[in-house]
Amino acid sequence: MTALDPDFVIGSNLTLVCLAYSHLLAQYTWSFSGVTTWEGQTLFMPSLSRAHSGVYTCKASNSLSGLHSSMDTIITVSETLPQPNVTASNLAPVEHVDSISLHCLPPRSTVAIRRDVNGQKLFIGGHRELSLDCRTLTLSNITRNDTGVYQCESWNSATSSISNPTLIKVTYGPDPPMVNPPDPEVTAGAALTLSCFADSNPPAQYHWEMDRRPGPATQHLVISEVTLDQ
C-alpha cells in the first residue's frame, strides 16, 4: 500500500494506492477502523478532518482461487505539518575552495519543498543546484555572496511549515588592504591617524610597517606628532 501524500493535515487530501500481485486481476476493498466502505484499487479522500485519523485496511481478493490478503496503514491527521530541519555539510566553507550541501529533512515526505535565503525565495541556477525531490541544495565553488540564513519550507494544499534558520558564514579574504586617507599631506608637528581596512571573514588582523620596520598591531595607527623622518 502506498500513500501518495504521507503528510496529512486538516484540509489536505488523502490518496492511498493498493497493489497485489495476482494471476487474475485482484479485487480491492477498503475498510476504515474495521468497517468496509470503499471498493477499487485507489482510495481518494478530499479535505481531511481529525475524524479521518485511524487504521485503513486494503483487502485484495481473487475470486477464482478464493484467496485474499490485506494490509493496514495508520493515518494521523494533525492541525499542522511537522517542522522540517536543515542540516549542512559545512557551516563555514572557504570561498572558491569548498562546496557544500544543505539537506531539508521533514519528519515525513511532503508534497513540495521551497527554499529561502535571508527571507527571500532562493534563485536556482549557476553554482546552485537543487535535487529532483527538492530536498538537497548543493552550492559548488562557493562565494562570499552565499553567506546567509537558509531555511526550507514544506507545504501541501492545506498548510505549510518552515524550518529554523541555518546560518552559513563563508570564510574569505583578507582582500587587499585600503588605507584611509590614501595620500595624506601632513605638516611636521601635526597629528595623523591612518586607518587600514581589508574585507575578510573572520575579521582581518592588522600590522603596520614603516620603512620595512615593524610597527604596532592595530587597525588604526595614531601618530600624535609627525616628524620629518616619518
Side-chain angles (χ1 to χ4, degrees), residues 144 172-179 196-200 204 206:
R144 65 190 69 184
Y172 62 89
D175 290 348
M178 297 181 295
V179 175
C196 185
F197 175 75
D199 194 12
S200 177
Y206 299 92

Side-chain angles (χ1 to χ4, degrees), residues 184-208:
E185 294 184 3
V186 185
T187 58
L192 174 64
T193 299
L194 296 174
S195 298
C196 185
F197 175 75
D199 194 12
S200 177
N201 181 50
Q205 297 176 328
Y206 299 92
H207 300 270
W208 291 87

Side-chain angles (χ1 to χ4, degrees), residues 28-128:
Y28 300 94
T29 56
W30 294 88
S31 61
F32 173 60
S33 297
V35 180
T36 301
T37 49
W38 303 278
E39 294 184 356
Q41 189 174 6
T42 301
L43 169 63
F44 174 75
M45 297 183 62
S47 190
L48 294 176
S49 67
R50 284 190 178 275
H52 293 108
S53 296
V55 179
Y56 289 76
T57 303
C58 172
K59 180 180 179 181
S61 304
N62 186 315
S63 58
L64 183 62
S65 66
L67 300 177
H68 63 83
S69 61
S70 62
M71 184 176 182
D72 296 339
T73 187
I74 299 175
I75 299 298
T76 302
V77 182
S78 59
E79 292 184 357
T80 60
L81 283 173
Q83 185 181 34
N85 181 48
V86 174
T87 62
S89 59
N90 189 346
L91 295 176
V94 178
E95 185 177 42
H96 302 311
V97 174
D98 291 331
S99 298
I100 67 170
S101 295
L102 296 99
H103 304 282
C104 185
L105 303 174
R108 294 178 291 177
S109 61
T110 54
V111 174
I113 297 174
R114 289 188 286 254
R115 288 187 176 273
D116 301 304
V117 58
N118 298 328
Q120 302 295 320
K121 185 177 180 180
L122 184 65
F123 171 77
I124 301 300
H127 72 296
R128 296 172 177 171

Side-chain angles (χ1 to χ4, degrees), residues 145-159:
N145 294 328
D146 294 309
T147 294
V149 174
Y150 289 76
Q151 292 175 281
C152 72
E153 180 183 16
S154 59
W155 62 282
N156 60 20
S157 58
T159 188

